Amino acid sequence: MQLIDTHQHLIYRDQLGYGWTNGIPALASGNFTRSDYGELTRGDDVIGTVFMETGVDDADYQKEARFVASLVGGDGLLAQVASCRPEIDEGFDAWLDECDRLSVAGFRRILHVVDDEMSRSETFRKNLRKIGRKDLAFDMCFLARQLPIAADLAKACPDQRFVLDHCGVPDIAGDAFSVWADAISEVARSPNVSVKLSGVTAYCTPGTANVETLRRWIDHIVQVFTPARIVWGGDWPVVNLGSGLPAWIEITKELLADLSADEQAAIGTGNARRIYRLS
């Protein structure tokens, strides 16, 4: 099963600030580079990646996209999902226009670290519709408790392609399956939303991130979104808080082994090419 990793973070501390990593020992120091990633995935059928904005310090989000643009085209890096601030009109159009030249395949605003009302504002939704008119994707990053907000946002912007990151951040360690399953089923009813199979090993009780633990959660994702609306992401290096990247790749392949070859190909590469308009 070949994979396009649609959620590859990179950390270059000599270039950018990553204040959110403070207090997370596995991520708080050192760089996490393209060459590091290549060493981890050699022989694991990862045929390309899409950089995902890494939540840099607010003053650096545009600098990050400009820096990553210089890396696209090397080492299998196909495109990037850049950060943006749809809640603010000033400078938003200019940033969209600049990103036309930065190999940007989509945008993201991390929404679990801001007020819940932000994505409900008309300014935010108006600017998201501009992203849709540019035929670019928007990654939604919500916690499980915020999934009704995600469902509402998708309905309000029906012409925008959305990707829900990390399976909606389920509380696997807390076994909060039923509430999450109902909420994510509602999100899946919007045909403009796909889901990213990523991040979930970090939500397991430490030491329990395995096929058995994850089976019913991923089976539910496959059931409600179908293989036609699922993409795969490594979430490296954050995945180090769970299984680590090589193990997550193997878990993915085992979880999806019962799907047809065409369905596996759609999740592994085909949907990523379509949703992010990759060549």
Side-chain angles (χ1 to χ4, degrees):
M1 181 180 178
Q2 293 186 324
L3 298 167
I4 291 176
D5 185 348
T6 64
H7 212 95
Q8 179 197 46
H9 298 302
L10 299 171
I11 292 179
Y12 291 87
R13 296 185 196 277
D14 56 336
Q15 300 282 337
L16 305 156
Y18 303 89
W20 66 272
T21 66
N22 296 337
I24 306 176
L27 303 174
S29 62
N31 290 331
F32 296 85
T33 68
R34 281 290 303 158
S35 60
D36 297 331
Y37 181 94
E39 287 293 322
L40 282 173
T41 57
R42 184 171 290 116
D44 279 330
D45 298 318
V46 177
I47 63 170
T49 65
V50 176
F51 170 81
M52 173 59 63
E53 64 94 10
T54 310
V56 295
D57 297 348
D58 204 58
D60 284 346
Y61 81 88
Q62 294 183 345
K63 183 180 178 182
E64 178 187 53
R66 294 168 186 140
F67 171 68
V68 171
S70 70
L71 306 178
V72 173
D75 297 321
L77 183 55
L78 304 173
Q80 67 168 314
V81 173
S83 187
C84 66
R85 300 294 181 268
E87 69 273 17
I88 302 171
D89 270 332
E90 184 178 359
F92 186 79
D93 291 350
W95 180 232
L96 288 192
D97 289 343
E98 181 178 348
C99 285
D100 287 341
R101 305 184 295 277
L102 299 179
S103 300
V104 169
F107 290 92
R108 184 170 78 153
R109 177 69 162 111
I110 300 176
L111 293 167
H112 63 71
V113 297
V114 297
D115 190 279
D116 285 356
E117 294 305 310
M118 178 182 286
S119 66
R120 291 173 167 143
S121 75
E122 183 49 40
T123 296
F124 191 98
R125 295 178 176 190
K126 174 191 66 178
N127 285 328
L128 245 61
R129 295 181 189 112
K130 293 177 182 177
I131 295 173
R133 287 196 289 273
K134 282 185 171 286
D135 197 28
L136 297 170
F138 184 82
D139 274 58
M140 295 190 290
C141 198
F142 285 110
L143 300 175
R145 68 165 183 81
Q146 298 172 305
L147 287 175
I149 301 174
D152 186 54
L153 182 61
K155 292 172 185 175
C157 302
D159 296 325
Q160 173 65 58
R161 288 194 312 284
F162 289 101
V163 182
L164 179 66
D165 289 347
H166 309 326
C167 297
V169 192
D171 181 6
I172 299 173
D175 199 29
F177 180 82
S178 296
V179 173
W180 167 84
D182 290 344
I184 205 159
S185 295
E186 182 61 31
V187 176
R189 290 190 178 96
S190 291
N192 55 326
V193 182
S194 297
V195 69
K196 189 169 293 185
L197 186 58
S198 62
V200 290
T201 69
Y203 312 139
C204 301
T205 301
T208 68
N210 54 41
V211 170
E212 181 180 1
T213 300
L214 294 170
R215 172 69 70 185
R216 65 171 174 160
W217 305 83
I218 303 310
D219 282 354
H220 185 71
I221 288 289
V222 173
Q223 177 186 348
V224 298
F225 280 95
T226 80
R229 289 194 289 147
I230 302 172
V231 296
W232 184 81
D235 197 27
W236 182 79
V238 183
V239 69
N240 293 347
L241 303 179
S243 64
L245 185 57
W248 171 230
I249 291 171
E250 293 308 310
I251 289 169
T252 297
K253 292 179 179 181
E254 190 167 347
L255 286 168
L256 303 180
D258 290 339
L259 298 181
S260 71
D262 286 346
E263 289 170 332
Q264 290 183 40
I267 295 172
T269 62
N271 297 336
R273 294 189 188 280
R274 171 177 54 82
I275 291 168
Y276 292 108
R277 301 294 192 254
L278 305 175
S279 60

